[in-house]
Amino acid sequence: MSVIRRLFSWKISSPVLSGLIRSFLWMMLGAFILSLLLWGSGLQEQDLTMYTYIVHGVAAAFGGLTAGSRAVRKGWYQGALTGLLYGLAVLLIGFLALDSSPGGIDFLWVLAAAGISALGGMFGVNLQKS
């Protein structure tokens, strides 16, 4: 039984990578909820702009929280790096999928994601078990 437990209980040691994975999981959950909202109500895709930013903000915050809780110290740094990489990945996906050129406001969003994740990292580093 311990062999099975060791095989399936792998843990990602990098705080940034674990925060990115948690961010994308929260983003997928938020996208699924927004899809259900579109399907079940009379909303149009153009009406979801604010909700999309909220989903990305929550995803960045939980990613920073995870990165901060996995880091030994400097949770703000690990969280900010997670948010920066998350924002750049979302920007790159949007650039490749939608064929839209990134503008200045998009890079401002990346900095906002880094700030939100840094705040999550500050809280996350204090949630560690002593």
Side-chain angles (χ1 to χ4, degrees):
M1 194 63 155
S2 66
V3 174
I4 295 172
R5 191 173 303 137
R6 266 188 290 152
L7 283 175
F8 292 111
S9 66
W10 55 279
K11 186 176 180 180
I12 300 170
S13 61
S14 170
V16 175
L17 185 60
S18 63
L20 279 174
I21 290 172
R22 185 70 54 100
S23 291
F24 280 110
L25 287 175
W26 276 100
M27 181 185 64
M28 287 188 323
L29 179 68
F32 180 71
I33 291 171
L34 288 180
S35 298
L36 289 177
L37 189 67
L38 272 176
W39 176 66
S41 68
L43 288 175
Q44 300 295 319
E45 288 183 22
Q46 295 82 15
D47 301 333
L48 292 180
T49 305
M50 181 185 66
Y51 299 118
T52 305
Y53 284 125
I54 290 172
V55 165
H56 284 302
V58 168
F62 278 113
L65 187 78
T66 302
S69 66
R70 297 274 172 100
V72 177
R73 57 179 188 210
K74 292 187 181 180
W76 65 271
Y77 175 73
Q78 300 291 334
L81 192 57
T82 301
L84 187 70
L85 291 175
Y86 173 77
L88 287 174
V90 169
L91 186 67
L92 182 68
I93 290 169
F95 171 70
L96 293 174
L98 301 174
D99 197 30
S100 63
S101 61
I105 194 76
D106 295 327
F107 290 108
L108 193 62
W109 184 88
V110 170
L111 289 177
I116 291 170
S117 288
L119 189 63
M122 285 182 219
F123 285 113
V125 79
N126 292 314
L127 290 178
Q128 288 181 356
K129 296 177 185 174
S130 298

